[in-house]
Amino acid sequence: MKFYVYVLALLWSVSVQAQTPRVEILWQWYQQGYYILNPTIAHSNAEVAFVRRLSGKDSTVQASSFFRGVFKNYLSAGTSDRFYDPVICILDKNKKLTLIDYGWDPAYSKDDKKIAYAYQIKTLKKGDPLYAEAYQGNEIKVFDKSAQHAEAVAKPLSNNYLMDPFFLDSMKVVYKIGTKVNGPYGAGISFNQVDLQTKKTSIIRLPGIKYRLYELMGEAYLINNQLAYTLYSPTDTGRGMANEYLHLLLTEKDTLQDFGIRRFTLLDNKIGFNDKNEIIFLDDELLLPEDTVYVQTYKDNRLIRRTPLQHNYVKSYLSPNGTYMVYITEGKEAFLLNLITMRRAKINIPEREIYTIVWAKDSQRLAIVQEHESLVGTDILHLLQIR
């Protein structure tokens, strides 16, 4: 009898694991005439922070629409000329919109009580190119949701700017220092950390130069409560950019994974970390169409598994735990693929251009920003749950 029950339980477990994943749309939101940029999902609920920016593409939408549909507004008074500036926003589970401040790259603290962002110092006008000069002087601010107050916690030196804040915990924020790296274009060249309690700033990584070119800083991650980040190190000289870069995943003291020398390939949305201390790498930047895509699994800087994957898509986004990927076809269809069972599910959203996809840290929710079906210069945001 015990054996019979065990077999039934085992079969049920295998059946559940092999089930096709289901994707449920929790909510959708858009505001006519506005772009949606830099979305990020709260850790514990269906709240999303993002950047809203007037597109200027819809002639029927004027600056008077700036505060339309706003539930709460914390923007500074006397800033009526900043209608084309990026605005940090929060959209809660009831789709109530709150305007926080002018800036980019919102990031939630681990308890969701604070939001860090790069404050936009300069006023932007319609059509201004987003070169490094546009960001010059940008500082890191933190908005406390309980106190309903924002405070500058880090400021740049010289002609640099600060960008991409990331919470290590609820009181420590890591951020990049950006500067010009390729003509007018900018990128992150070093990492600092600020303690919100002591106000002390410490250096994580200083700028590095190889072959007269800056090393470039990539995404920050929290692995086993330890900071890790990607780094792209030039291996030759070039005009503005190297021909090839060494792609690394580093901690403050060690190399977690060497992904080798290749043409510059953003590792964002290509790396996942599971509960076995393994690194999952979606290696799908192909030199030739006939090349094979692989899902590669590493442990202790050693390749332990290599699974081929059919390449029938144009964009891909790996989940933080490496279990799922979302991919977009040439026909603008979106699919969710379980990389363990190789079962997939179609995501039922319009077949329009998808601009970005971000995962929640739990790999169970994702936000998709795409072109609106009928409104010019308008993005729509979908928040989805995997069941």
Side-chain angles (χ1 to χ4, degrees), residues 181-195:
V181 298
N182 179 11
Y185 298 99
I189 60 168
S190 60
F191 273 108
N192 278 5
Q193 175 184 303
V194 60
D195 188 306

Side-chain angles (χ1 to χ4, degrees), residues 262-273:
R262 56 181 70 204
R263 64 183 180 180
F264 182 78
T265 303
L266 276 176
L267 298 178
D268 305 359
N269 304 306
K270 306 297 181 185
I271 305 175
F273 312 94

Side-chain angles (χ1 to χ4, degrees), residues 111-126:
D111 60 8
D112 291 332
K113 293 180 179 180
K114 301 180 182 71
I115 293 178
Y117 55 95
Y119 175 68
Q120 177 63 35
I121 293 287
K122 294 184 176 181
T123 298
L124 301 177
K125 302 300 182 183
K126 181 179 178 180

